[in-house]
Amino acid sequence: MSTDAVARARGRVGKPAALLEVRSLSKRFGEVQANWDVDLTVLPGTVHGLIGENGAGKSTLLKMIYGVYTPDEGRMFVDGAPVAPGSPADARALGIGMVFQDLRLVPALTVAENIALALPEGPRLRLTQLAARITEASEAYGLAVDPSAQVRHLSIGERQRAEILKVLMTGARLVILDEPTSVLAPQEVEALFGVVAQLRDRGLGVVLVTHKLGEVRAIADQVTVLRGGQVILNAEDPGNFSDAELVEAMVGRRVPPLAVERAAVPPRDHPVLTLAGATALGDRGHVALKGVDLAVYPGELVGVAGVAGSGQKELCEVALGLRPVTSGSVDAGDGAAVAVPEDPVADSVVPGLTVLEHMVLDGRAVPRRGLGVDWPAVGARTAVLDERVGLHMAPTRRTLSSLSGGNIQRVLLTRELGQDAALVVAAYPSRGLDVANTRRTQELLLEHRARGAGVLMVSEDLDELIAVADRIAVMHDGHVVGVVDTAGADRMSIGRLMLGGVA
Amino acid sequence: MSQEVTKEAPASAAAAPPAEPPRRVRVRGAALLRWVGALIAGLVVFGAFVLANGADPFAVYADIWTSTLTQPGQFQQIVLRAAPIALAGLAVVVPARAGLVNVGGEGQLIIGGVAAAGVALWLTPVASPWLIMLLMILAAMAAGAAWAGIAAAMRLVVKVNEAVTTLLLNYVALYSMLFLILGPWKDPAALGQSTSVELNDAMKLPVFAGTAIHVGVALAVVAAGAVWFALTRTTWGFRLSVVGGNAEAARRAGLPVVTLLLTALLLGGALAGLAGFIQFAGMEYKLRPTFGLTIGYVAFLASWLSRHKPLPLLLASLVLAAIAVSGNSLQIGSGLPAASVNILMGLVLLAVLGWTGPRKVRS
Amino acid sequence: MIIDILAGAVRGGTSIMYAGLGETISERGGVINLGTEGAMLLGALGGYAVTAETGNPWLGVLGGALAGALLSLVHAVLVVSRRANQFASGLTLYFLALGVTSLFGVSYVSRQINAFTPVPVPGLSEIPGLGPILFDHDPLVYVAYVAAPVIWWVLFRTRVGLLVRTAGERSEALEVNGYSVRAVRYCATVAGGALAGIGGAHISIAYANSWFENMIAGRGFIAVALVIFAMWNPVRIMAGAYLFGAALSLASVLQTSGIAVNQFALNAVPFVLTLVVLAILGRRTMLAAPDELLKVFDNSRTT
């Protein structure tokens, strides 16, 4: 196979060499074939969209390109020359730069210090000098960043600009952006795409990883679709495909749209959740929630939109009584609440305990036998939940912490959404799920709404919120800056609110 | 319609690693091998230290062997030494289940001993021996718990790590005791070393007929059994392990995290205080500057050697007690300081920590 | 008498400062080392033994640094390479050092050495008040004046310092940039142990001018606590260390002035003081903790 790969690469001699050419990469983890015979070609001066569902093998592919994983089989070429990056440093030396989804900046350091970390320069940090170079570069690329700001205090959008700047200043010719838009407001996405277009015009290659078709249409010159670790469409012009065809390529089947018709919100009774001037501190002691007024009524689904880190986490915790308010009031009635955690692994997974042992950690009374827990009763209760929720969670004897992110999420969703409660608080409920399970989760939330629960749902996907919510509360910098009726809402006006502007 | 879609869901389940195979037996065997390996490594390095100090390691080991294991009565000495180690070890085990590191066994034990001595001192003229003994137990446990409670309060209110505070409290306890026995509680009749007044014979712990083993030993075994039951068979034990594994998850599950952390550390302190009581009323009968010396630290090692499991802790306590007892004969036989056996204990635990800890998973 | 106490504060605080500076480097890199107490013990004996054998206290300082570094190297192997629990490893090393120093220390008890003597700084030591407090000390005290700002500069103004801080704040950022987290942490831990060793040597060859078993008597643990309320900042370490020096010197000054106070009550003062300061400032200063260190603090358990 590898001689075949060389032959294919040689066949290109005479044409301008591709910036990056990946041939027949395969990678296997235990019984999972994460990548199988994957090809990817990125030409200079193009934006290449790489799309696929969660678990399609995108991140495995990126990590092989960036030298984090070594491929089991296959070849890579940069400018036509065979390469085998064994570490991220190797990849960077080849001109490959990666902007990770969770950004690899150090929050406690300044932007300049973070960039210094990536630049191979002398033993003394000449930060003033470096700050001048950063300012110069940020003007040249239109990436406004304050070099002396501590990263901890920057918004997600600013952090992302700093990271892109860092990658560019280390001399990257191929910039890989891993799901860069998932945390941004629409306006910020437009600004980012402006930068991407500029990079393309300067002859750089850009790989844009995403699962949003609109973004592919907006900026990508070519698109490659991965599904189940294999290439389904290879470097095609997205203009030649309809949305339905691209979705089918990603998912492998047609996905029916979410049913639109649903019961009207019942006439307003007593709200199940009332926040009045609620103010709360974040984990680092800063004011993270600033005088929020919000009510959720029975039978309605209120979405929460906002750029990541605008106070959504604190809003959920205050609503659930997990975080004290420093002023204002919270009234969640006396009905029980169920909650899908913001960060499942950090918030809900106890290392070493089984799925079954996690099923009693739902805030309800634990079935007892003598002084201990009645585990058979828990098992029976769990089977009922699993049947009802229909997310097909992992067997209960498995250790939860050993499961993948999506499977952990399904266990927690089953535990939480299987119960009836007056208030349902769901933070990023579809995180890590594939399309089918995302759809089922949205249906579950709507089922809770239909039986009369008040649902508060945080999502970073505006389209998802517009599809399922009755109203959308938009957060910016700890405030709820506006509550928009979903009927007739438009993305751009919500986006302006997310950025702190006026609708 | 949507139901059919979700039926295909397990596709992403494949992304999870395969289930662990049943391998209990193999693990047991491997654990035993590691233990033996750790002991041998400790003995070899210790031998090198002894050699470097100009003594013959083989002679030293022969000395240790004959003095600890062949002399009559030595086994009883080992058991007597092991009992407070086991109790103070439980004082590490219980908080460890809740994710807390109690390095304060030393101080909690001393304060327990001081409380017991105080009760005996004040009440001997006025109360019956049995009542005094009961009050001594209660006072020792309460004092140990209170001493641990300072660290617990600082962890819960000020968020300062309990390992640091319990260590500092050890010194405060030690100096408090020294203050008492060189000041107000000093036995005017004591010759040489200052001590407190010796406990009245009627209040010394009774021994089992025909042996030197006092009932404190039985107390330690019962306590280990009770802790084992509480940790593995009760809701409280389960909740404690949830808090220890992920306190945030426990908080979100509505568990009383603060109460659980507090009870774990207080119970630990009480157990160490109890160790102080049996050391006082069963072994030393008076407070002296070396009262309970290093028992708390040895107990910490014992707890880590037994991976914070109560029943293996009893075995680990016996092993470390045997090493400690051999230290005395070392001093007599080879002229090496008794504290040199601390090296052996330290080396064994280092080997165990290094070889049996969780491995880094390369991603 | 105030001048005596303050001069004693500088002299007595110096060993804690060295250990605190070392522990600051180590913790900035994400490794807490309770074995600091043990490294000081080994440093004290190592420094004393080398001075006794060579007659040169400067070689003694080197010996103390090496001894402390060696013990911390074992800590690094256990916690960085073998992922052992940091608290358990540190405390075990303290215990090991206790045994090792009592075994090898026997022959040095009551042996005379050519110890450091006070070297008044010409001119400066004549200043009334300040002179005797600051400029009439052994050379290691003067080295410490320079060490704190230099270590601050290295941590915050050089690439090495940046790497150490990154290891303690978000180690994966090091790996992404092609550095080895392991190497950085080894260096930080060993450097920390070397400084603790110098601190120990200061006690045996400049402060007490003798060797006896367990002579560090908890100063290393105080240093670990000091790092917390000095907010991992070398310059604050300097201030804090002198505060404890004052608490330590209080005992000896009161005794020499003939005021009858129970010595053991005074011995407890530095520890009580540490606990009180932690109780007052701890909550605020913990906010400045390096993120990876915080993970060690919060989730101290390993099985």
Side-chain angles (χ1 to χ4, degrees):
Chain A
M1 180 176 304
S2 55
T3 46
D4 183 29
V6 174
R8 272 192 270 171
R10 290 218 175 107
R12 294 185 160 273
V13 171
K15 298 177 199 169
L19 202 44
L20 172 75
E21 191 164 353
V22 162
R23 288 281 162 248
S24 301
L25 280 197
S26 293
K27 181 73 184 174
R28 180 176 195 86
F29 297 103
E31 294 172 8
V32 181
Q33 188 74 49
N35 270 195
W36 175 248
D37 200 17
V38 172
D39 293 350
L40 181 70
T41 304
V42 186
L43 301 171
T46 62
V47 176
H48 198 115
L50 178 64
I51 61 176
E53 283 201 76
N54 283 314
K58 290 173 298 186
S59 47
T60 304
L61 176 60
L62 296 186
K63 284 180 175 167
M64 287 193 288
I65 293 172
Y66 201 53
V68 178
Y69 294 155
T70 313
D72 297 337
E73 280 177 71
R75 308 282 301 265
M76 276 175 58
F77 305 86
V78 168
D79 297 331
V83 295
S87 71
D90 288 354
R92 266 207 318 276
L94 293 167
I96 301 172
M98 171 99 96
V99 176
F100 289 93
Q101 189 180 4
D102 59 342
L103 306 180
R104 298 298 160 92
L105 298 171
V106 186
L109 303 182
T110 64
V111 171
E113 285 174 324
N114 268 288
I115 291 177
L117 201 56
L119 296 175
E121 286 170 15
R124 233 188 102 181
L125 299 178
R126 297 174 191 283
L127 290 173
T128 337
Q129 214 180 321
L130 182 60
R133 279 163 57 202
I134 293 170
T135 313
E136 195 180 307
S138 77
E139 278 162 12
Y141 290 105
L143 289 159
V145 173
D146 172 9
S148 62
Q150 209 184 16
V151 169
R152 199 189 295 294
H153 299 132
L154 298 183
S155 73
I156 296 288
E158 288 170 310
R159 290 183 199 198
Q160 193 175 59
R161 292 202 286 275
E163 179 107 4
I164 295 173
L165 202 56
K166 182 178 97 176
V167 163
L168 293 173
M169 287 182 73
T170 53
R173 293 175 299 129
L174 172 70
V175 178
I176 302 172
L177 300 167
D178 187 8
E179 308 235 0
T181 60
S182 58
V183 293
L184 300 180
Q187 283 81 354
E188 289 178 307
V189 172
E190 283 191 353
L192 174 69
F193 285 177
V195 173
V196 169
Q198 200 190 344
L199 298 182
R200 169 174 59 194
D201 296 343
R202 289 174 178 231
L204 275 68
V206 178
V207 175
L208 175 73
V209 181
T210 181
H211 55 258
K212 293 178 187 162
L213 295 182
E215 293 172 1
V216 171
R217 297 228 179 270
I219 190 82
D221 304 304
Q222 294 183 315
V223 63
T224 291
V225 179
L226 280 182
R227 187 209 320 151
Q230 287 177 282
V231 173
I232 304 300
L233 294 179
N234 187 359
E236 299 286 352
D237 178 351
N240 296 339
F241 294 85
S242 71
D243 281 0
E245 285 167 327
L246 286 176
V247 170
E248 198 175 337
M250 275 168 70
V251 181
R253 58 184 175 269
R254 289 179 191 282
V255 179
L258 194 68
V260 189
E261 66 284 359
R262 58 185 82 120
V265 180
R268 287 187 174 178
D269 193 7
H270 291 295
V272 290
L273 171 70
T274 315
L275 277 73
T279 300
L281 300 181
D283 289 337
R284 283 260 165 194
H286 59 287
V287 181
L289 204 60
K290 301 169 180 168
V292 167
D293 298 312
L294 185 67
V296 179
Y297 291 89
E300 76 165 345
L301 195 158
V302 176
V304 177
V307 173
S310 297
Q312 298 96 319
K313 170 187 159 80
E314 290 79 9
L315 176 70
C316 291
E317 294 187 0
V318 162
L320 292 163
L322 292 168
R323 187 176 288 272
V325 287
T326 50
S327 70
S329 69
V330 190
D331 180 7
D334 47 3
V338 297
V340 180
E342 148 121 6
D343 179 349
V345 173
D347 293 344
S348 287
V349 176
V350 185
L353 295 195
T354 62
V355 170
L356 185 70
E357 286 169 317
H358 279 86
M359 295 309 285
V360 299
L361 302 177
D362 57 359
R364 284 198 286 171
V366 177
R368 286 166 183 263
R369 190 161 58 183
L371 290 169
V373 180
D374 187 353
W375 292 113
V378 175
R381 195 168 92 176
T382 302
V384 174
L385 289 183
D386 195 25
E387 176 67 31
R388 175 177 171 190
V389 169
L391 284 173
H392 307 277
M393 64 173 211
T396 53
R397 65 186 149 71
R398 295 284 300 274
T399 305
L400 186 60
S401 50
S402 72
L403 302 181
S404 69
N407 280 311
I408 290 174
Q409 184 75 347
R410 277 151 66 186
V411 169
L412 298 176
L413 285 168
T414 301
R415 183 181 81 191
E416 297 295 334
L417 297 184
Q419 308 174 51
D420 287 342
L423 174 63
V424 175
V425 177
Y428 315 104
S430 46
R431 175 169 292 176
L433 300 182
D434 61 13
V435 169
N437 282 314
T438 299
R439 178 57 44 84
R440 176 66 195 137
T441 304
Q442 291 165 349
E443 286 171 1
L444 277 165
L445 291 171
L446 290 173
E447 286 167 18
H448 278 290
R449 172 190 175 276
R451 68 167 175 77
V455 182
L456 187 68
M457 171 187 181
V458 181
S459 174
E460 48 198 20
D461 185 345
L462 272 187
D463 296 328
E464 178 180 39
L465 287 177
I466 291 172
V468 301
D470 301 302
R471 295 187 291 149
I472 298 175
V474 186
M475 297 197 71
H476 170 76
D477 189 28
H479 298 277
V480 167
V481 287
V483 181
V484 183
D485 269 328
T486 311
D490 83 290
R491 295 170 49 89
M492 291 320 263
S493 60
I494 294 177
R496 271 195 299 279
L497 285 170
M498 287 165 73
L499 294 172
V502 183
Chain B
M1 184 67 210
S2 64
Q3 286 303 324
E4 283 174 25
V5 174
T6 55
K7 283 288 187 280
E8 301 190 30
S12 65
E20 288 173 38
R23 50 189 185 123
R24 219 178 156 73
V25 178
R26 220 183 47 195
V27 167
R28 283 272 165 83
L32 192 70
L33 265 181
R34 276 199 297 265
W35 253 90
V36 173
L39 254 173
I40 291 174
L43 288 173
V44 169
V45 180
F46 180 61
F49 274 116
V50 169
L51 195 64
N53 206 46
D56 176 4
F58 293 104
V60 166
Y61 282 134
D63 205 29
I64 291 179
W65 181 263
T66 51
S67 64
T68 41
L69 294 173
T70 62
Q71 305 261 329
Q74 278 296 66
F75 183 71
Q76 294 190 12
Q77 277 307 309
I78 292 172
V79 170
L80 286 173
R81 278 267 192 135
I85 295 176
L87 278 173
L90 292 173
V92 184
V93 166
V94 176
R97 196 55 70 104
L100 298 171
V101 180
N102 179 16
V103 207
E106 191 87 2
Q108 292 146 19
L109 184 147
I110 288 176
I111 284 296
V114 165
V119 167
L121 200 65
W122 292 322
L123 297 183
T124 297
V126 296
S128 77
W130 285 105
L131 179 66
I132 291 178
M133 213 183 280
L134 186 70
L135 289 175
M136 272 164 58
I137 292 179
L138 291 177
M141 291 181 75
W147 211 247
I150 300 172
M154 286 184 68
R155 160 85 186 207
L156 295 172
V157 179
V158 214
K159 304 217 161 109
V160 175
N161 187 270
E162 70 288 346
V164 176
T165 48
T166 48
L167 268 174
L168 296 169
L169 284 165
N170 288 346
Y171 286 87
V172 181
L174 175 65
Y175 290 126
S176 303
M177 180 185 73
L178 290 176
F179 167 76
L180 289 171
I181 59 179
L182 280 96
W185 289 5
K186 184 170 175 165
D187 180 1
L191 301 168
Q193 196 185 45
S194 297
T195 65
S196 67
V197 180
E198 183 163 334
L199 189 65
N200 197 312
D201 280 351
M203 285 165 269
K204 289 178 181 169
L205 282 181
V207 296
F208 292 103
T211 68
I213 309 282
H214 58 70
V215 294
V217 174
L219 209 58
V221 174
V222 170
V227 167
W228 170 82
F229 181 83
L231 291 182
T232 60
R233 293 288 182 271
T234 68
T235 314
W236 178 77
F238 172 69
R239 290 178 161 181
L240 216 53
S241 57
V242 172
V243 172
N246 183 343
E248 180 62 20
R251 193 173 74 96
R252 285 175 177 263
L255 300 188
V257 176
V258 169
T259 314
L260 285 166
L261 289 175
L262 200 62
T263 49
L265 208 46
L266 291 184
L267 182 60
L271 286 162
L274 189 61
F277 162 76
I278 70 163
Q279 181 70 11
F280 176 73
M283 279 288 276
E284 302 202 27
Y285 307 131
K286 54 175 97 167
L287 298 176
R288 59 191 100 215
T290 57
F291 176 81
L293 188 69
T294 72
I295 292 179
Y297 293 124
V298 173
F300 183 84
L301 307 191
S303 177
W304 279 89
L305 280 179
S306 58
R307 298 175 153 260
H308 311 314
K309 294 195 170 108
L311 302 181
L313 172 72
L314 291 176
L315 180 67
S317 303
L318 272 177
V319 171
L320 293 185
I323 296 178
V325 166
S326 72
N328 296 349
S329 53
L330 206 61
Q331 186 152 28
I332 301 158
S334 316
L336 298 173
S340 353
V341 289
N342 293 352
I343 302 178
L344 190 52
M345 296 186 203
L347 286 171
V348 171
L349 182 57
L350 283 187
V352 169
L353 283 177
W355 287 351
T356 63
R359 290 302 128 69
K360 183 174 184 180
V361 183
R362 179 78 198 136
S363 57
Chain C
M1 192 164 106
I2 296 290
I3 287 176
D4 284 349
I5 291 179
L6 292 179
V10 171
R11 228 160 76 80
T14 297
S15 59
I16 294 181
M17 194 202 315
Y18 279 113
L21 290 173
E23 186 61 11
T24 300
I25 297 174
S26 178
E27 289 189 23
R28 277 277 176 188
V31 176
I32 181 169
N33 189 357
L34 295 184
T36 296
E37 174 84 7
M40 286 183 84
L41 265 176
L42 276 185
L45 179 61
Y48 201 79
V50 171
T51 308
E53 304 299 342
T54 64
N56 183 342
W58 287 106
L59 286 177
V61 173
L62 194 65
L66 277 176
L70 202 64
L71 194 75
S72 298
L73 179 64
V74 180
H75 188 59
V77 170
L78 282 166
V79 305
V80 179
S81 297
R82 312 298 304 182
R83 299 249 143 181
N85 180 284
Q86 300 198 1
F87 295 104
S89 167
L91 201 79
T92 309
L93 285 170
Y94 157 61
F95 204 71
L96 185 70
L98 206 57
V100 169
T101 50
S102 79
L103 179 63
F104 289 98
V106 183
S107 51
Y108 292 100
V109 176
S110 78
R111 193 161 152 185
Q112 295 295 315
I113 58 157
N114 171 29
F116 276 120
T117 46
V119 182
V121 180
L124 292 177
S125 62
E126 310 294 324
I127 306 170
L130 274 187
I133 294 172
L134 293 176
F135 299 111
D136 188 8
H137 291 293
D138 64 84
L140 282 183
V141 172
Y142 303 140
V143 174
Y145 291 163
V146 187
V150 164
I151 287 170
W152 182 90
W153 186 82
V154 170
L155 274 177
F156 294 98
R157 289 292 177 269
T158 69
R159 175 163 302 270
V160 171
L162 181 64
L163 298 184
V164 170
R165 284 185 292 143
T166 306
E169 291 284 357
R170 191 171 181 188
S171 58
E172 60 185 344
L174 277 185
E175 269 166 5
V176 167
N177 287 308
Y179 296 101
S180 156
V181 180
R182 200 177 278 214
V184 172
R185 290 206 170 136
Y186 262 85
C187 292
T189 311
V190 169
L195 280 165
I198 295 176
H202 180 260
I203 292 181
S204 64
I205 64 179
Y207 187 75
N209 297 340
S210 63
W211 160 258
F212 51 91
E213 212 171 293
N214 202 6
M215 75 180 303
I216 300 302
R219 285 183 180 84
F221 296 132
I222 288 185
V224 174
L226 171 61
V227 175
I228 294 175
F229 58 75
M231 301 170 89
W232 295 267
N233 181 333
V235 178
R236 285 166 188 263
I237 290 280
M238 194 165 182
Y242 290 145
L243 178 69
F244 286 103
L248 284 168
S249 71
L250 200 63
S252 55
V253 171
L254 285 181
Q255 253 170 4
T256 47
S257 7
I259 299 171
V261 184
N262 185 305
Q263 184 210 335
F264 297 104
L266 285 174
N267 282 346
V269 167
F271 297 94
V272 176
L273 184 68
T274 312
L275 286 162
V276 169
V277 178
L278 277 180
I280 295 168
L281 297 180
R283 191 180 191 99
R284 207 161 55 83
T285 59
M286 280 304 284
L287 293 174
D291 280 349
E292 301 245 338
L293 190 70
L294 218 48
K295 282 189 225 158
V296 177
F297 276 155
D298 283 350
N299 198 6
S300 32
R301 189 182 82 147
T302 54
T303 38

